[in-house]
């Protein structure tokens, strides 16, 4: 059985000063670097939206960030413009030791659909390819860290568990957005899905 550390969306826009800042998002960088140094394999994910992405509130007349709308694939929270491809905001936090990464997986690059999870886009059907990568490398167990705990970390960890991959979330090395109780909800959903919370 092989194991990997997966670092979710540790990007400038999710850190203080960024477009969709997660409180304390930058506080976890040093701890994640230390974990990466000891990890057997490291995967990074990178939120990577085209300008004008359909998850941006700016694309919906009369809508504001954090409102929820119905998309063809289900409910979608609207966000400020963030992690636009090639922008500084989409770059990894400058202190993150990205050289340790063996794979950088980009997600959210289709204009019409968001992708919180590293495994499936928000229709919960369209694969990103990560499952195949892990399976062909024999990686059957994952530790999750990064941002945001209640969105991309939670959706990724739940999908991993659903796929039969052992999933553990190191909660001290995550930070959440916490919109309308979303952190408590995400923790409960992950537990129910069989994710280990450490
Ligand atoms: C994320 C909202 C929008 C995340 C990404 O990384 O948790 N949240 N895009
Ligand atoms: Zn996004």
């Amino acid at each position: 059985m092989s194991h990997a550390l997966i670092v979710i969306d540790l990007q400038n826009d999710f850190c203080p000063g960024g477009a969709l800042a997660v409180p304390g998002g930058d506080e976890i960088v040093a701890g994640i670097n230390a974990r990466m140094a000891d990890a057997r394999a490291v995967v990074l994910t990178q939120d990577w939206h085209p300008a004008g992405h359909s998850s941006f509130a700016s694309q919906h007349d009369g809508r504001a960030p954090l409102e929820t709308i119905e998309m063809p694939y289900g409910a979608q929270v609207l966000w400020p413009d963030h992690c636009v491809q090639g922008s500084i905001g989409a770059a990894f936090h400058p202190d993150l030791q990205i050289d340790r990464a063996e794979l950088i997986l980009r997600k959210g690059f289709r204009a019409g659909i968001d992708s919180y999870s590293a495994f499936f886009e928000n229709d919960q059907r369209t694969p990103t390819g990560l499952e195949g990568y892990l399976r062909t490398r024999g990686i059957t167990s994952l530790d999750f860290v990064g941002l945001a705990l209640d969105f991309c970390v939670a959706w990724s960890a739940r999908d991993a568990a659903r796929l039969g991959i052992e999933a553990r979330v190191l909660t001290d090395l995550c930070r959440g957005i916490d919109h309308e109780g979303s952190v408590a909800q995400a923790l409960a959903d992950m537990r129910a899905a069989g994710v280990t919370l450490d």
Side-chain angles (χ1 to χ4, degrees):
M1 185 184 87
S2 192
H3 180 86
L5 178 70
I6 178 160
V7 182
I8 304 289
D9 299 0
L10 218 298
Q11 295 164 257
N12 290 322
D13 269 343
F14 298 122
C15 291
L20 177 37
V22 181
D26 56 341
E27 295 167 4
I28 58 178
V29 174
I32 290 174
N33 285 339
R35 276 267 172 180
M36 282 200 282
D38 293 337
R40 276 203 264 166
V42 175
V43 172
L44 306 181
T45 68
Q46 190 172 24
D47 211 37
W48 194 250
H49 300 307
H53 191 259
S54 59
S55 74
F56 297 168
S58 61
Q59 301 306 301
H60 303 270
D61 278 343
R63 298 290 184 170
L66 297 179
E67 288 182 26
T68 301
I69 63 164
E70 249 345 280
M71 292 289 275
Y73 53 83
Q76 172 71 49
V77 179
L78 296 176
W79 304 107
D81 290 24
H82 68 278
C83 295
V84 172
Q85 296 171 0
S87 67
I88 299 288
F92 292 107
H93 187 288
D95 297 335
L96 188 69
Q97 268 152 39
I98 61 175
D99 289 355
R100 271 293 280 121
E102 295 171 352
L103 174 72
I104 297 176
L105 181 105
R106 289 174 169 166
K107 60 184 182 62
F109 48 75
R110 287 193 180 88
I113 183 167
D114 207 358
S115 187
Y116 294 152
S117 167
F119 291 94
F120 295 100
E121 300 192 13
N122 282 12
D123 59 1
Q124 299 181 47
R125 221 169 249 114
T126 306
T128 64
L130 181 59
E131 180 189 4
Y133 175 85
L134 297 175
R135 294 222 193 275
T136 52
R137 285 202 56 186
I139 294 169
T140 55
S141 160
L142 289 175
D143 279 346
F144 290 85
V145 298
L147 306 170
L149 174 62
D150 37 351
F151 288 92
C152 292
V153 174
W155 284 51
S156 298
R158 276 166 37 206
D159 278 344
R162 176 157 71 89
L163 293 169
I165 297 165
E166 202 178 306
R168 181 166 70 153
V169 173
L170 308 177
T171 53
D172 285 353
L173 294 178
C174 297
R175 291 291 184 274
I177 294 170
D178 209 11
H179 172 58
E180 293 177 348
S182 54
V183 164
Q185 186 67 52
L187 294 173
D189 290 346
M190 286 192 281
R191 261 192 213 100
V195 175
T196 301
L197 301 177
D198 258 8

